[in-house]
Amino acid sequence: MSFRSFRARTLIALALAVPLSAVAAGTASADEFSEQGLHVGHGGVVHEFLSSSVSDDGVSTYLRRKMILGAAGLVFADTTANAG
């Protein structure tokens, strides 16, 4: 993979990372936790976002989102759970 190609993929990944991480930013709840990380290396780009919350009416939500951009292409993986 050339540097120019890697740079273009990195810029695309960063452009996608901001909207993906904003998905849970507006969630109003009594208790919440969120964490995110971005890793850029020679093998590609990985962005992870984790969020869990409990709303005022007792509904709990869990979201784990992972985006990987590497030599094989772009992969999105979501894990979600809701209870209540």
Side-chain angles (χ1 to χ4, degrees), residues 15-52:
L16 290 171
V18 173
L20 290 175
S21 63
V23 169
T27 304
S29 63
D31 300 315
E32 73 178 50
F33 169 82
S34 66
E35 178 179 76
Q36 63 179 321
L38 178 67
H39 174 76
V40 179
H42 292 292
V45 178
V46 177
H47 179 260
E48 283 192 272
F49 179 77
L50 175 66
S51 173
S52 64

Side-chain angles (χ1 to χ4, degrees), residues 6-78:
F6 176 74
R7 183 175 170 199
R9 288 181 178 202
T10 302
L11 292 174
I12 291 168
L14 291 173
L16 290 171
V18 173
L20 290 175
S21 63
V23 169
T27 304
S29 63
D31 300 315
E32 73 178 50
F33 169 82
S34 66
E35 178 179 76
Q36 63 179 321
L38 178 67
H39 174 76
V40 179
H42 292 292
V45 178
V46 177
H47 179 260
E48 283 192 272
F49 179 77
L50 175 66
S51 173
S52 64
S53 63
V54 178
S55 67
D56 292 335
D57 58 354
V59 176
S60 61
T61 304
Y62 172 86
L63 168 66
R64 179 176 180 231
R65 175 164 286 156
K66 189 171 193 175
M67 180 194 68
I68 303 168
L69 177 63
L74 181 62
V75 176
F76 288 97
D78 281 352

